[in-house]
Amino acid sequence: QAGSKISKGFNSSVQATKERLGQVAPDEITELPQEYKDLEARVDALRAAYLTLLKITKVYEHESYDYLTHVQESIHELSSFLSYNISSFAATNLKGTNLPVPASPAAPPPTQHKTLPHALLRAAATASNAVQATAPGPDDALAKALALYAAAYERVALARLDHDAAVQLNFLHPWQTTLNTSIAVAIKARQAVRVSRLELDAAKQTLKNASPAKQEHARLEVENAEDDLVQKTEVAITLMKTVLENPEPIKNLNELAKAQLLYFSTAAEALSTVQGEIDELSVAAEGQYSPATTEVPL
């Protein structure tokens, strides 16, 4: 039996090579059912759709996808973290020795989220504090406007984290799972059909060239190969139909749209609320503004 499998594999490889080189007449290649070929094309299109969308949406697996300058911050954080670990190790292990013991660090440096909303929040809050620190009074308009903007982006930043978590859980994970399971199984079944078809056509060639003494055995090989191809084709058709009828892709896409809608609506609401207040500060500042004029001597 092992020898028969090796022989079949060799004959199939020879058949595939001949077909690739155009050495087999089209009428000598077994035609697969039209239903099978139509399903094959549809599954290919479905798989392409999965891969196309997945290629873009995989960015949601990394929170820094909209904040490219995060690399510098990451390097700074790593440096601070290493410094903290070294100081902590020295403070713990140099006690009881003659070597100077450094003071124990108070706490590890905080880790900051690397998203654009978080970066805007931090920048606006820092800028507000800097302006207010040098302002002549407690109610500097620019400092207040920056603080309002920072408050809005605090909500946006939290919504952004919720959005990414929802997309990963309800879209990316099931989308990738379907691609790696049911679609992959259907593709594998198609590969089995291709191998079976090559074995059948190779068996037909063997029968065609068989001597009278080997004709009966070769004919049985063809019949067995035909039965195998029919069975594998039916299995592949069933699996491809299951993939194409699966409602999960639409459900997953709906979850993606829901997560994005919630995020953008939260961002719009937060910014809409503070924009009105910032607009009032802007109008008031323009009303109080009296630019100094300087006469230019002729």
Side-chain angles (χ1 to χ4, degrees):
Q1 190 174 2
S4 177
K5 287 185 178 181
I6 294 173
S7 177
K8 283 184 179 180
F10 175 76
N11 291 338
S12 297
S13 298
V14 171
Q15 180 70 19
T17 302
K18 286 182 177 180
E19 290 180 9
R20 190 164 54 250
L21 297 176
Q23 296 175 356
V24 179
D27 59 351
E28 292 183 341
I29 297 176
T30 300
E31 186 78 9
L32 295 172
Q34 188 60 44
E35 179 187 18
Y36 175 88
K37 292 189 288 186
D38 291 343
L39 290 171
E40 199 173 31
R42 290 182 60 196
V43 169
D44 284 342
L46 178 65
R47 182 174 181 273
Y50 264 79
L51 291 173
T52 298
L53 199 56
L54 189 63
K55 180 180 179 181
I56 303 302
T57 54
K58 277 182 74 69
V59 298
Y60 293 130
E61 292 180 340
H62 310 283
E63 69 172 26
S64 59
Y65 59 81
D66 61 353
Y67 185 48
L68 300 182
T69 57
H70 75 282
V71 176
Q72 293 178 340
E73 290 186 5
S74 297
I75 293 173
H76 176 72
E77 280 188 6
L78 178 61
S79 176
S80 300
F81 183 74
L82 290 174
S83 176
Y84 168 81
N85 281 347
I86 293 171
S87 298
S88 179
F89 176 83
T92 302
N93 290 276
L94 294 181
K95 289 179 181 178
T97 69
N98 294 327
L99 297 174
V101 180
S104 299
T111 300
Q112 297 178 325
H113 288 290
K114 306 296 189 302
T115 75
L116 183 58
H118 283 90
L120 287 170
L121 159 62
R122 292 191 293 268
T126 301
S128 175
N129 292 335
V131 171
Q132 188 59 60
T134 58
D139 296 320
D140 184 88
L142 178 58
K144 186 175 181 180
L146 286 166
L148 287 169
Y149 186 79
Y153 259 90
E154 185 172 14
R155 286 186 60 194
V156 176
L158 289 173
R160 163 60 201 283
L161 295 178
D162 290 341
H163 162 268
D164 290 358
V167 170
Q168 290 171 24
L169 179 64
N170 299 321
F171 175 76
L172 282 177
H173 178 67
W175 197 262
Q176 185 76 64
T177 299
T178 300
L179 185 63
N180 292 337
T181 53
S182 55
I183 293 180
V185 169
I187 297 295
K188 188 175 181 179
R190 284 167 44 182
Q191 292 170 345
V193 170
R194 179 179 181 275
V195 170
S196 183
R197 199 272 302 164
L198 287 171
E199 288 178 352
L200 172 58
D201 289 344
K204 287 180 178 178
Q205 290 296 319
T206 300
L207 173 60
K208 182 179 178 181
N209 300 319
S211 64
K214 296 183 178 180
Q215 287 250 336
E216 185 59 30
H217 176 73
R219 188 176 294 107
L220 287 174
E221 289 292 325
V222 169
E223 290 177 1
N224 291 335
E226 287 175 339
D227 291 341
D228 184 72
L229 178 59
V230 169
Q231 187 267 333
K232 284 185 168 59
T233 302
E234 289 175 351
V235 169
I237 286 175
T238 300
L239 290 172
M240 288 191 288
K241 283 183 176 179
T242 300
V243 167
L244 294 168
E245 293 168 1
N246 185 6
E248 283 297 305
I250 301 176
K251 178 184 175 182
N252 301 152
L253 189 62
N254 181 47
E255 292 296 332
L256 173 63
K258 280 169 59 179
Q260 292 174 325
L261 174 62
L262 181 59
Y263 169 57
F264 289 122
S265 61
T266 301
E269 181 184 350
L271 290 169
S272 177
T273 300
V274 301
Q275 190 275 326
E277 297 180 60
I278 295 174
D279 185 57
E280 291 178 5
L281 291 171
S282 174
V283 171
E286 287 183 358
Q288 297 171 3
Y289 180 60
S290 54
T293 56
T294 303
E295 294 185 2
V296 180
L298 300 175

